[in-house]
Every structure is written in C-alpha cells, then in structure tokens.
Amino acid sequence: MSFPLIRNRRLRTSQAMRNLVREHAVTLYDLIYPIFVTHGTGVKEEIASMPGVYHFSIDQLEAEIREVTALGIQAILLFGVPETKDSEGSSAYDPNGIVQEATRRIKQWAPDLLVVADTCLCQFTDHGHCGVVHFNEAKKRADVLNDASLELLVKTAVSQAEAGADVIAPSNMMDGFVYAIRQGLDEAGFEHVPIMSYSVKYASAFYGPFREAAHSAPQFGDRKTYQMDPANAREAVREADADVAEGADMLMVKPAMAYMDIMRMLRDRYDLPIVAYNVSAEYSMVKAAGLQGWIDEKAIVMETMVGFKRAGADMIITYFAKDIAAWLKG
C-alpha cells in the first residue's frame, strides 16, 4: 500500500502532534559538562579558541559549580592543568594534585554532583604524551611504553577515587588499560567506582582547541601509535570488545560528530551505556559561526544533540551543556 492511503504528513500536522510521535529527546540527565581546573589563585581565564569555556583556579571554581548545579546538570568531567610537569606525569597521581584537590572541594560544595575524573597523563607530562616515553636508540625514535604507562595510570585512578571521584574515565588508549585500572580500583577498595572508558578514541584533528585548553599538545611526534586511525571502523569493535571483557561500565566514542556511524555500531552490539564526546573543535566551529550570525546556534546545537541520541548515545559530554540546560529550562 502507498499514497493516497498512506500519508506520512498526518503525523506532522502540529507541534503537539510532532511532540507525541517524537522518537528521541535530549534531557538534562544526558549532559556531562567538562571543566578545566588550573593552578594559581584568582584565575578565571577564557580559553581563546573556546568562547565561553574557562580555566578556573580552585578558589574561583565554586561559583562555576554553583551555576552548573543550579542549571540542573548532574555530572561534570574534570580536567587538570598542573603547575609542574615531568617525564612521568607525577602530578597526575599526587594525592594533593590539581584534580584531586578540586574533586575534594567540589564534593564539599555539591555532594550530589557526579565528578567524572579524566584519567590520563598527557596534561601532566613534560612531553605531552599519554604514557611513559622511552627513546629507542636502535630505531632513533621515542616510543610510548604501554605496560609501564599502565602502572602510572592505575596510581592516578586510585588517587582520584580516594579524593572522591564518582567515575574514572581513562582516556589514554593504552592496551589493557581498563583491566589494569579495574584491578587497581578493586584492590584499593573501590569496587563500586565505575569506569567510563574512552573505548574508541580516534587520532583526530578535532582536538585542537582542547590541547590549548589542557596545555597537552605533544612536544614531539603525534599520538597515532595509540589513538585510532580515523579510517577504521572494524577496529573500533575490537577496541570496545576488549574494554567490555576487561570490565568497562560505559563505552565512549570520541569525537562524536564525524563518528556517529561508530556510535551506532556500538549501540547495536552492546547493552552498556554509550557516551558521545562532543569535542572541542566541534564546539568551537559552531560557536564561531554562531557569534558571526551565520547560523542559528541553538537550533544547530540541539539538532546535533538529537543526532547523537538517534545514533545511540545514552549520555553526551559537551561544552554546550550549560547552554543546553538553559534552553531546556525555557
């Protein structure tokens, strides 16, 4: 059967009708807001390539946390920019490090706000890589060592959990990182702390503004030996399979906009929650066009968020979270 018996426009005749038959919706409960905490005092500094996103010193952070909770946002993703860096990123697992101290303060100000701690070394190493670097004399190149890096990532995750982090989000893309961190958390008595794994993280050009924000650009080479080739899809399944087997509680796809096909693949294959990371350049491009008046920023953002939900995302990490929360509140 077809037209004129079937008329699909019947279900589009009014806003009320469209609301009734809408298949996907974005809610406050979907949103995770990234926050950058830095050293020093009196710092609230806008990140030039990310209008509306700031570096906060801890003494300036409370007002931001109060705003986030007042908007109804229930979760944040915490990144730290330390005062000192070294070859092993020791400030990442310092009990008094920037992320650990910020976490403790946030849990005092807003005990019910979920703190998701990014667990990586790149912001904390002087070379900007996500693990331990060893110079290979035979090949005349610097290699990122996998297993030695796992030891430091476990120490980082445990120190973050000890500080009060509700979720550990490892973003390093070392082989076996979920298993190592799960084992480390369990042995330290944090069996209840879930792991939001950056399961499918591509070596993407969409991270540029973040590297300015986190002061984490590699000082040599690139991250292509551990982050995924953007051309590969089947490999994403292998990465996610490994994380599921190792005990991941949530699976992330990063970036989101150019990889919604990957999100759908994971959604169709796994029952675990899927996380979309709407990354820095995705934010900056829309913000820049919106500020120029070239696009309707709100319409573009909300359409994109619905696209993530339609592709299978259960939650969305986005720098637009505060804007979206305000729009949803009307």
Side-chain angles (χ1 to χ4, degrees):
M1 293 184 290
S2 61
F3 178 85
L5 184 61
I6 295 175
R7 292 180 181 267
N8 290 316
R9 290 182 57 189
R10 292 181 188 125
L11 301 184
R12 304 174 195 153
T13 53
S14 68
Q15 185 63 57
M17 180 66 76
R18 293 190 293 273
N19 289 343
L20 281 173
V21 300
R22 180 162 293 141
E23 298 174 24
H24 300 279
V26 177
T27 75
L28 276 172
Y29 304 143
D30 300 325
L31 304 175
I32 302 172
Y33 183 53
I35 293 180
F36 296 94
V37 184
T38 191
H39 57 89
T41 57
V43 177
K44 181 183 177 182
E45 180 180 64
E46 189 171 39
I47 298 162
S49 58
M50 300 177 71
V53 179
Y54 293 81
H55 288 123
F56 296 96
S57 54
I58 290 178
D59 64 307
Q60 298 295 307
L61 183 59
E62 184 175 3
E64 180 75 352
I65 296 301
R66 299 292 183 199
E67 181 182 355
V68 165
T69 55
L71 285 166
I73 295 169
Q74 297 189 328
I76 61 169
L77 175 59
L78 196 58
F79 294 99
V81 181
E83 185 172 13
T84 60
K85 303 186 179 192
D86 59 33
S87 62
E88 294 197 341
S90 61
S91 56
Y93 45 88
D94 183 344
N96 298 311
I98 188 72
V99 170
Q100 290 81 353
E101 182 58 28
T103 300
R104 284 190 285 267
R105 297 288 188 90
I106 292 166
K107 298 308 286 186
Q108 291 172 4
W109 300 325
D112 294 330
L113 182 67
L114 282 176
V115 175
V116 183
D118 179 79
T119 306
C120 198
L121 301 177
C122 59
Q123 298 105 285
F124 304 93
T125 55
D126 52 15
H127 47 71
H129 280 282
C130 303
V132 176
V133 170
H134 170 72
F135 188 75
N136 188 320
E137 288 286 352
K139 297 182 179 179
K140 300 300 180 185
R141 72 181 189 199
D143 293 329
V144 177
L145 303 181
N146 194 91
D147 295 8
S149 301
L150 294 179
E151 296 178 21
L152 302 185
L153 292 164
V154 170
K155 292 172 65 174
T156 302
V158 170
S159 72
Q160 291 169 338
E162 288 173 341
D166 299 288
V167 179
I168 297 300
S171 59
N172 54 87
M173 287 298 285
M174 297 294 117
D175 289 338
F177 70 92
V178 172
Y179 176 79
I181 290 172
R182 181 73 273 158
Q183 188 175 45
L185 289 172
D186 291 355
E187 289 175 356
F190 295 106
E191 300 94 339
H192 61 287
V193 174
I195 294 175
M196 177 190 289
S197 175
Y198 285 63
S199 295
V200 183
K201 182 178 180 181
Y202 285 91
S204 172
F206 284 94
Y207 303 150
F210 174 89
R211 289 177 180 172
E212 175 192 346
H215 299 179
S216 63
Q219 297 304 299
F220 58 85
D222 53 42
R223 295 175 178 152
K224 293 179 181 179
T225 65
Y226 45 101
Q227 294 179 0
M228 282 181 52
D229 185 340
N232 290 358
R234 294 190 301 273
E235 184 183 3
V237 173
R238 297 200 298 274
E239 287 283 1
D241 277 347
D243 287 359
V244 171
E246 291 172 18
D249 299 283
M250 294 167 263
L251 306 175
M252 186 191 301
V253 176
K254 178 182 181 185
M257 286 178 67
Y259 299 90
M260 283 198 270
D261 61 321
I262 306 301
M263 227 177 292
R264 172 45 57 188
M265 287 174 62
L266 266 58
R267 174 72 291 146
D268 291 343
R269 187 176 178 89
Y270 309 107
D271 293 328
L272 291 178
I274 303 298
V275 187
Y277 196 147
N278 181 212
V279 298
S280 58
E282 296 170 352
Y283 171 86
S284 296
M285 291 188 296
V286 173
K287 268 292 179 189
L291 290 169
Q292 290 295 324
W294 295 337
I295 61 170
D296 180 335
E297 180 182 323
K298 176 182 175 182
I300 291 286
V301 170
M302 294 308 294
E303 185 175 336
T304 302
M305 298 301 131
V306 170
F308 296 151
K309 296 287 288 185
R310 194 180 63 249
D314 297 289
M315 59 198 86
I316 303 167
I317 301 169
T318 179
Y319 303 96
F320 286 112
K322 289 199 301 182
D323 293 331
I324 294 167
W327 295 331
L328 291 174
K329 281 176 166 287

